[in-house]
């Protein structure tokens, strides 16, 4: 007998297909593949010089949490906020749990609420790939209820699924979606899931991109109203801080307590905490908003310029995030159809011969021929459009 990795490791881990990061294929050039903020962080000051690296970091990070709930409370209090907190208890630090990016929060929820090998979770493809990976690692089966082809939520089908299968404990929704870029309608499509008498589970809305949607769109203020709503956010996108790995979970106090109880005590390093606190002062948030507004302005310019290129079909996604989802056609004729072959060739040639990296998403449901393009700086976008036009023209000419 003796050591045998094949029989020792859990089967679901041995056969796991790990998450394919945008950077697994290409690491250099104009990187518009991972929906980062290429304008960089909006931190007014630098890193504190006298951090005590010999001490463990604060496990609770109450200063950061207070600043962050102040930020979301104030957005929800503005007149005509899409999600208002009028009449609701304001968010407090007790509603928050921090993670090493929202990726950790995605996993923590599964560990809290799903028994391995027994329970299930529900996702709505096309969606973010980590739900699938974390579910597999945790030995949790996945029920898939695809979005409609216009990327809105099929609430009725979700209700049917969860009410007929009590082993489904979690529903992961992404709003705005990735790769869809589309904000989900709360009243029509999410609220009915929160008031189901016949289902005991939690609805998670992943809002990684919510700051690129109209101000006040976040559902986070509603966790003081709905005990079964959990909202995930991150500093990786609008705040331009993907490198420090800070994710924020908003939940009812009782749920938040459980999440905090299972968290590794020192998951947020003192370096990350230092930057996170500085990035969320009112002054830094103002800078963040300015950069976000620039990106939103550039998003419109970029999508129009790309759509003007022959062979670029249409933007099938919404315009609520910091990326667009464009369909590449088989040829330039009126009878052209979306083509994964051309999209993949364009993607590869852009990356290998032109130092411009975008993301191929054509294998996802309702995404035939689709490339996801992150909105970059004005200069990056200009280069991207130029190269896109040139390479696509060459591909069609050589057919
Ligand atoms: C929908 C969605 N959720 C979560 C994440 C992960 O974010 P973080 O960097 O906070 O782990 C991403 C990253 O691309 C994402 O697209």
């Amino acid at each position: 007998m003796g050591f045998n990795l094949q029989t020792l490791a859990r089967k679901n881990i041995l056969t796991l297909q790990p998450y394919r990061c945008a950077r697994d294929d290409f690491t250099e050039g104009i990187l518009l593949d991972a929906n980062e903020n290429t304008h960089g962080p909006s931190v007014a000051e630098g890193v504190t010089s006298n951090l005590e690296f010999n001490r463990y970091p604060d496990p609770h990070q109450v200063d950061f949490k207070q600043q962050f709930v102040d930020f979301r409370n104030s957005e929800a209090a503005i007149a005509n906020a899409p999600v208002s907190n009028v009449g609701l208890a304001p968010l407090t630090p007790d509603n928050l749990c921090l993670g090493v990016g929202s990726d950790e929060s995605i996993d923590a929820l599964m560990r809290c609420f799903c028994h391995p090998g027994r329970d299930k979770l529900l996702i709505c493809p096309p969606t973010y790939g980590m739900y699938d990976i974390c579910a597999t690692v945790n030995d949790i089966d996945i029920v898939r209820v695809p979005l409609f082809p216009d990327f809105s939520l099929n609430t009725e089908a979700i209700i049917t699924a969860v009410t007929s299968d009590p082993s489904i404990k979690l529903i992961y929704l992404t709003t705005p979606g990735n790769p869809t870029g589309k904000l989900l309608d709360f009243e029509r499509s999410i609220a009915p899931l929160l008031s189901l008498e016949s289902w005991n589970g939690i609805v998670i809305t992943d809002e990684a991109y919510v700051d690129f949607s109209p101000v006040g769109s976040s559902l986070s203020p509603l966790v003081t109203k709905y005990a079964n709503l959990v909202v995930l956010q991150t500093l990786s996108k609008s705040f331009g801080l993907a490198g420090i790995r800070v994710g924020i979970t908003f939940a009812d106090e009782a749920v938040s307590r459980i999440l905090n109880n299972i968290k590794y005590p020192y998951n947020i390093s003192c370096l990350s905490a230092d930057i996170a606190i500085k990035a969320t002062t009112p002054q830094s948030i103002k800078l963040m908003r300015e950069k976000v507004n620039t990106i939103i302005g550039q998003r419109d310019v970029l999508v129009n310029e790309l759509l003007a290129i022959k062979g670029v079909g249409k933007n099938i996604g919404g315009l609520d995030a910091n990326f667009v989802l464009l369909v590449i056609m088989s040829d330039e004729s009126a009878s052209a159809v979306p083509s994964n072959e051309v999209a993949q060739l364009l993607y590869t040639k852009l990356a290998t011969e032109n130092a411009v990296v975008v993301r191929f998403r054509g294998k996802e449901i309702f995404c035939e021929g689709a490339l996801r393009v992150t909105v970059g700086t004005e200069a990056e976008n200009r280069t991207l459009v130029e190269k896109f036009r040139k390479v696509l023209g060459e591909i069609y000419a050589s057919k």
Side-chain angles (χ1 to χ4, degrees), residues 3-11 14-15:
F3 172 72
N4 182 339
L5 185 61
Q6 297 305 312
T7 51
L8 185 65
R10 286 158 55 187
K11 260 210 187 65
L14 272 180
T15 53

Side-chain angles (χ1 to χ4, degrees), residues 9 52 78 184 360 377:
E52 292 191 303
I78 58 174
L184 298 175
F360 174 68
T377 61

Side-chain angles (χ1 to χ4, degrees), residues 285-302:
I285 283 175
K286 200 162 156 272
L287 288 177
M288 179 276 279
R289 277 265 155 251
E290 283 166 18
K291 283 192 182 168
V292 163
N293 285 337
T294 305
I295 291 168
I296 291 172
Q298 280 290 306
R299 182 177 68 197
D300 296 341
V301 175
L302 180 68

Side-chain angles (χ1 to χ4, degrees), residues 34 101-103 106 128 131 174 178 206 208-209 234 236-237 245-246:
S102 34
D103 283 345
I106 289 166
Y128 182 48
Y131 312 136
T174 318
N178 174 10
D206 181 341
Y209 302 98
T234 177
S236 298
K237 310 295 178 180
R245 313 301 302 128
V246 173

Side-chain angles (χ1 to χ4, degrees), residues 19 34-36 99-106 127-131 173-178 206-209 232-237 241-243 245-248 323 359 372:
Y19 182 70
N35 302 338
E36 295 144 330
V100 179
S102 34
D103 283 345
E104 186 185 14
S105 317
I106 289 166
T127 190
Y128 182 48
M130 276 303 284
Y131 312 136
L173 307 176
T174 318
T175 175
N178 174 10
D206 181 341
E207 294 188 344
Y209 302 98
L232 303 182
Q233 293 179 2
T234 177
L235 298 189
S236 298
K237 310 295 178 180
L241 290 169
R245 313 301 302 128
V246 173
I248 303 109
F323 54 86
R359 199 129 202 234
R372 195 192 67 195

